[in-house]
Amino acid sequence: EKIECQSMIKKASILLVCVIFVYNTLTAQNPAIIRYINTYKFLAIQEMQRTGVPASIKLAQGILETQAGESDLVKRSNNHFGIKCKSTWTGPSVSHTDDAPNECFRKYATAEESYSDHSNFLKGSDRYSFLFDLASNDYKGWAYGLKKAGYATNPNYPKMLIKYIETNNLQQYDQVEM
């Protein structure tokens, strides 16, 4: 009986180690996302302090729109927020297939320019003005508000932003003093 009990304990220990390994593998954060956050968190905070756009929203949008800095569009344009040219853009641009083939997207010399232009784009548009009535730590309100205002066509856009924020604790960056 003693040998049988030891054998069961050994099997249970092996099973526990396997469960912990699988859990850690499934919940491990994507290294590209961690790199993206560490690279741009101070820029997101700076823009939040300058314009009131929550840092968590900026980072989540950047992660989502650029595939954590890995997308073809961001590599060719430094466009971290998928902002299309529209009729008012007079700066550099690149063609990229998104909702339609060869759409015009804004191109920036640096990520800093992209972050700043994103803030200015939101702040300067009547479509998004209601968002600035929300608290800078109301990331859920901002996520659903961006969708309501037409920022993205994906119906799951708000849920995706919120998932990135909560999974990566991005809301901590909204708590920095304004």
Side-chain angles (χ1 to χ4, degrees):
E1 272 183 49
K2 188 176 182 181
I3 294 173
E4 192 175 307
C5 186
Q6 288 174 335
S7 176
M8 287 175 58
I9 290 172
K10 188 182 265 187
K11 288 177 184 177
S13 297
I14 292 170
L15 180 62
L16 180 61
V17 168
C18 289
V19 167
I20 290 170
F21 175 77
V22 169
Y23 175 80
N24 287 338
T25 302
L26 292 175
T27 60
Q29 290 182 318
N30 180 327
I33 291 175
I34 294 168
R35 264 192 315 277
Y36 190 92
I37 294 166
N38 287 335
T39 301
Y40 298 110
K41 64 186 174 189
F42 296 113
L43 190 52
I45 292 167
Q46 177 184 315
E47 283 300 304
M48 177 181 70
Q49 292 174 336
R50 183 176 76 86
T51 65
V53 178
S56 63
I57 287 291
K58 275 223 173 300
L59 288 167
Q61 282 191 285
I63 292 165
L64 179 58
E65 297 287 348
T66 69
Q67 299 163 359
E70 304 291 321
S71 75
D72 176 59
L73 178 63
V74 78
K75 288 177 179 177
R76 292 188 301 121
S77 68
N78 268 317
N79 187 332
H80 285 252
F81 302 96
I83 301 178
K84 295 178 182 171
C85 295
K86 306 291 183 195
S87 59
T88 57
W89 182 250
T90 58
S93 65
V94 296
S95 290
H96 180 75
T97 298
D98 187 38
D99 295 327
N102 298 316
E103 291 181 281
C104 183
F105 283 83
R106 297 178 182 195
K107 182 178 181 177
Y108 306 96
T110 64
E112 290 81 6
E113 283 182 23
S114 177
Y115 268 69
S116 177
D117 187 53
H118 174 256
S119 299
N120 296 341
F121 174 78
L122 295 176
K123 192 86 172 160
S125 172
D126 290 340
R127 269 176 37 184
Y128 302 107
S129 63
F130 72 95
L131 291 170
F132 293 90
D133 295 333
L134 300 172
S136 63
N137 63 356
D138 184 5
Y139 63 87
K140 289 181 181 177
W142 271 82
Y144 282 100
L146 284 166
K147 175 63 182 135
K148 179 182 174 186
Y151 191 93
T153 55
N154 185 332
N156 294 316
Y157 196 76
K159 291 177 184 171
M160 294 163 78
L161 292 179
I162 291 166
K163 183 172 171 47
Y164 280 123
I165 290 168
E166 293 177 350
T167 300
N168 297 286
N169 194 25
L170 300 180
Q171 67 273 26
Q172 70 180 313
Y173 302 117
D174 298 338
Q175 307 305 319
V176 176
E177 290 295 316
M178 292 291 279

